[in-house]
Structure formats: structure tokens, C-alpha cells
Amino acid sequence: MTKIKSLADLRKMKDEVQSKIKLRENSDNSGQLVQIKVGMATCGIASGAKDTMKYFIEELEQEAIDAVVTQTGCMGFCYAEPTVEVILPNKEPVVFGHVGKEKVHEIIDAYIKRGELVDGIIPVNFKTIDD
């Protein structure tokens, strides 16, 4: 952890922490924001999901993209951990597998910014039953 040597250092740290909290807890209007859910079950954490979540928070902040970044439990795709579900406003959720630092950049640049699909999507293999 960085040592705080002045009031300016403390203010800088406060601003950094507040912006990260905003990304994670901006849930009041989550339907209008990009939503990112990182699978943080045991297999996800063992595969690097904590770093993946950190990369998303840092990159979204750097790109000034308003988003909600949260963690979730098991998504059932242990073979593809770390897994991330991305929901763009008014779009169906998309789950990406094997999401490391480079894939985070690709998801943000291509999918979130431009709406272009990228490699690594885990296909939906089930249908819901309508009443």
C-alpha cells in the first residue's frame, strides 16, 4: 500500500477509491448502464477472477465508461474460468470465458464500445419454458 505523506496524497487516494466504489455500486440505474458480473466462485477465484474484476474496474474508469461491476457466484462454466457476463443496455446477456487482462481490453474496446462480438463467447445451450 502507498504511504500517505501529505494531504494531497490522501485526497488523491480518496478520489481513486470513490471512483472504484462508483463503478461497483452504481446500481440505482443499472438497467441503463453496462453491467459486468464476474464469476467469483472457488474455481473462478483460483483461475484469476479477482484480477479480472480489478482489470475491468481500472479499464472502465480509465475509459470513463459508466458501468456496474459486481461479483457473482458459480456460472456453471468451470472449464472456462474466469467467466464474465456482460449486459449492454437493452441487450441480452453475453457470457465470455477465459477472461484475462487482454480479453478485458478486447471486450471493452470491441463489445462494450462498438457492439461487436469477440471470441470467447460461451453459447447459450438451453431454452426457457414460457407459460
Side-chain angles (χ1 to χ4, degrees):
M1 182 170 195
T2 307
K3 290 186 179 184
I4 300 171
K5 298 179 183 176
S6 68
L7 183 57
D9 290 345
L10 182 61
R11 286 185 177 142
K12 180 181 176 187
M13 182 179 280
K14 176 187 168 202
D15 291 341
E16 290 172 358
V17 170
Q18 283 182 329
S19 66
K20 289 179 182 178
I21 289 171
K22 180 185 171 213
L23 282 174
R24 289 189 66 174
E25 297 179 349
N26 199 358
S27 60
D28 290 341
N29 57 350
S30 62
Q32 300 167 349
L33 297 174
V34 174
Q35 297 178 53
I36 298 167
K37 299 176 184 177
V38 181
M40 291 283 232
T42 305
C43 55
I45 292 170
S47 298
K50 285 184 179 182
D51 288 335
T52 298
M53 186 165 186
K54 182 182 94 169
Y55 298 145
F56 265 110
I57 291 170
E58 290 171 355
E59 288 298 311
L60 291 166
E61 179 183 358
Q62 185 176 1
E63 297 288 333
I65 297 172
D66 283 334
V68 178
V69 181
T70 58
Q71 64 186 42
T72 189
C74 180
M75 290 189 200
F77 305 112
C78 298
Y79 67 92
E81 293 293 349
T83 54
V84 175
E85 180 181 74
V86 179
I87 306 171
L88 299 180
N90 303 314
K91 301 282 185 183
E92 290 294 315
V94 176
V95 178
F96 295 91
H98 305 289
V99 181
K101 190 173 190 173
E102 293 304 315
K103 185 58 76 175
V104 168
H105 292 297
E106 188 177 358
I107 290 169
I108 291 172
D109 289 341
Y111 185 63
I112 293 175
K113 286 183 172 180
R114 299 190 307 264
E116 299 172 0
L117 296 177
V118 297
D119 287 339
I121 294 174
I122 299 173
V124 176
N125 58 0
F126 64 90
K127 299 247 183 212
T128 58
I129 299 173
D130 294 329
D131 290 331

